[in-house]
Amino acid sequence: MALLLGLVSSMLWGAADFAGGRLSRLRSAYSVIFVAQVAALVSTAVYLVAAAEPALDTAALAWGVVAGLAGAVALGAFYRALAIGQMGLVAPVASTSVVLPVVVGVVQGQTPPPLQFIGLATAGLGACLAVAPELRSGSGARASSGQSIGLALLAAAGFGVVLIAIAEGSRSSVPQTLFGQRAAYVVAVGLVLLLRAGRGERQPRWTRSQLGVAVAVGLADMAANLMYAHATHTGLLPVVSVLSSLYPVATVLLARWLDDERLRPLQLAGISATFLGVTLIGAG
C-alpha cells in the first residue's frame, strides 16, 4: 500500500505542478500559491476536525511549520522556474530533491542497497545532461536557462526538506503536521504578497477559471501530501520519498501533450537518465 500511495502522490504532484506552472505564466507565482494554499488549508482543517485527535501535538505542528516554510520557498522558486523555463527541463532537475530524504534515511539506519546508490549517480548525471545544451545556447537563452535551473535547484532543496519534515511529523500526527504545514504556507506567502502590495505592485483581477485552477492545484497538493504522509508510516523513507519524487513524469507528459514542448536529443537522454536513476533508487 505504501508503494501505491507514493506513486499516486507523485502523479497528483505532477499534475498540480503543471497546472500551477502554467497559471504562473499569467499571474505571479506567489499569488497562485496563496490561492492554492488557502484552498488546501481549508480542506486540511476539515480533515483535522474529522480526525478528532484528543490532544495537541506540538512536535507534529512544529514539523509541519518547517515543511510549510520550506515549501513556500521551494514552490515559489519552482513555479517561477516553470514560468520562465521549459517544464520538461525544470521538473527533472527539481526531482533531485529525493537526495535529501535518502541521505536522512541512511543516517537513521535505513541504508539503501547498492542499486539505489547507482540510481543516485544516474539521476545526477541525467540532470547534468539535460542542462548542458541550454547552458551552451546564446547569451539571452543562457541567462534565462541559468536562472530557471538555479531556481529548480533551490526548489529541489526545499522540496527535500518538505519530504523529511512531513515524514518526521507524521510519526506522531498526520493531521496536525499537515495543518501546521498549510498554515505556515498561507502566512509566509501572504506576507510576501503584502510586501509586494506595499511597493505598489498591482495585479490583474482573477477570473473564475483561474481561481478554479488554483483551487484544484491546492486540493491536489493537499491530497498528495496526505498520501505521502501515510505512506511513510509503513514504508522506508528513502523508498517512499523516491516514488513520490516521480512527479516530473506527469509534468513532462502533460507539457508535451498540451503545450507541445520539444526538447533536444541530449536533453531527452538526460531526462530519461534522470527518470531511470530515480526508478533504480526505488527498485533498490
Side-chain angles (χ1 to χ4, degrees), residues 31-50:
S31 65
V32 174
I33 295 171
F34 182 75
V35 174
Q37 295 309 317
V38 167
L41 177 61
V42 172
S43 62
T44 306
V46 172
Y47 172 53
L48 179 63
V49 172

Side-chain angles (χ1 to χ4, degrees), residues 12 16 36-37 39-44 213-224:
L12 287 172
Q37 295 309 317
L41 177 61
V42 172
S43 62
T44 306
V213 170
V215 169
V217 167
L219 296 179
D221 187 32
M222 185 271 175

Side-chain angles (χ1 to χ4, degrees), residues 141-152:
R142 182 169 58 250
S144 176
S145 297
Q147 184 180 3
S148 65
I149 292 164
L151 289 169

Side-chain angles (χ1 to χ4, degrees), residues 129-156:
L129 291 175
V131 168
E134 295 297 323
L135 293 180
R136 291 201 302 265
S137 301
S139 58
R142 182 169 58 250
S144 176
S145 297
Q147 184 180 3
S148 65
I149 292 164
L151 289 169
L153 290 173
L154 174 61

